[in-house]
């Protein structure tokens, strides 16, 4: 997919057409919303994801990107509501650590002390979304730990996902860091 190669605009165009052809496809709507989020078109992403949320409130992908979008728009209460909805859904068990990290990220980025702070020690055998762990470390001022999480994640990711990491708005403060550039380029 174009998005995972760092082409948010190309992904948006293709996915916009896909959603026009099948406006009720949850997968198309999530991917379209995600491409808008990574393209920093947060208002449009929110509209697309809320449409899907209205169709399928238990869609974990929509809830996840909606929470991220709301966070970028400064809608902390809405981001927290999306996180609560994810936590109360049938996905709670499989995504507990992720939800805890996202909740702490929302709290930290909106000036609150996290109610629960997950274990942020970088470790290779953890089943953790490394981008979210990295973003939380950045929000807490732990830049070296943020890079360490990304290094762990990049070992396990397909090369095509490097583009997605490069687009991630939560990691924007790392873009000038040579270690980050090397990870994205695959020269680590």
């Amino acid at each position: 997919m174009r998005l995972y190669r760092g082409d948010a605009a190309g992904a948006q165009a293709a996915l916009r057409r896909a959603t026009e052809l099948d406006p009720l496809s949850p997968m198309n709507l999530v991917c379209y919303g995600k491409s808008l989020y990574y393209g920093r078109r947060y208002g449009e992403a929110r509209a697309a994801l809320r449409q899907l949320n209205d169709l399928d409130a238990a869609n974990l992908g929509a809830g996840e990107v909606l929470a991220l979008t709301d966070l970028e728009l400064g809608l902390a209460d809405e981001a927290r509501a999306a996180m609560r909805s994810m936590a109360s859904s049938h996905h709670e068990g499989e995504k507990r650590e992720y939800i805890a990290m996202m909740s702490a990220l929302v709290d930290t980025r909106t000036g609150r002390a996290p109610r629960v702070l997950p274990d942020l020690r970088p470790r290779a055998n953890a089943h953790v979304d490394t981008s979210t762990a990295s973003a939380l470390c950045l929000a807490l001022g732990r830049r070296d730990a943020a890079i360490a999480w990304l290094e762990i994640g990049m070992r396990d990711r397909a090369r095509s996902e490097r583009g997605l990491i490069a687009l991630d708005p939560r990691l924007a403060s790392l873009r000038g860091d040579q270690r980050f550039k090397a990870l994205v380029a695959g020269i680590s």
Side-chain angles (χ1 to χ4, degrees), residues 20-124:
E20 289 167 357
L21 294 171
D22 188 358
L24 298 178
S25 167
M27 186 169 84
N28 288 347
L29 286 169
V30 168
C31 291
Y32 181 53
K34 193 179 237 188
S35 71
L36 291 166
Y37 167 76
Y38 283 101
R40 291 175 178 70
R41 294 170 60 182
Y42 304 124
E44 293 169 78
R46 187 170 199 268
L49 294 163
R50 288 185 59 83
Q51 176 186 349
L52 176 55
N53 221 19
D54 291 343
L55 295 170
D56 180 8
N59 188 301
L60 186 62
E64 171 185 352
V65 183
L66 186 56
L68 292 170
T69 299
D70 286 344
L71 182 59
E72 293 302 326
L73 288 169
L75 303 171
D77 291 337
E78 290 85 344
R80 285 187 186 89
M83 295 311 305
R84 280 192 302 276
S85 144
M86 287 173 63
S88 64
S89 76
H90 64 279
H91 301 287
E92 185 208 353
E94 74 185 63
K95 290 287 191 175
R96 187 172 309 199
E97 182 101 17
Y98 174 77
I99 292 167
M101 282 196 181
M102 277 295 298
S103 294
L105 180 61
V106 169
D107 287 342
T108 304
R109 292 231 348 234
T110 58
R112 282 190 185 173
R115 286 168 280 214
V116 175
L117 191 59
D119 182 2
L120 289 173
R121 290 171 297 156
R123 54 205 184 281

Side-chain angles (χ1 to χ4, degrees), residues 143-145 147-148 151 174 176-185 188:
R143 191 177 188 86
D144 289 338
I147 293 288
E151 288 171 343
L174 289 176
D177 189 302
Q178 292 304 318
R179 300 170 295 174
F180 181 77
K181 289 178 182 179
L183 281 171
V184 171
S188 61

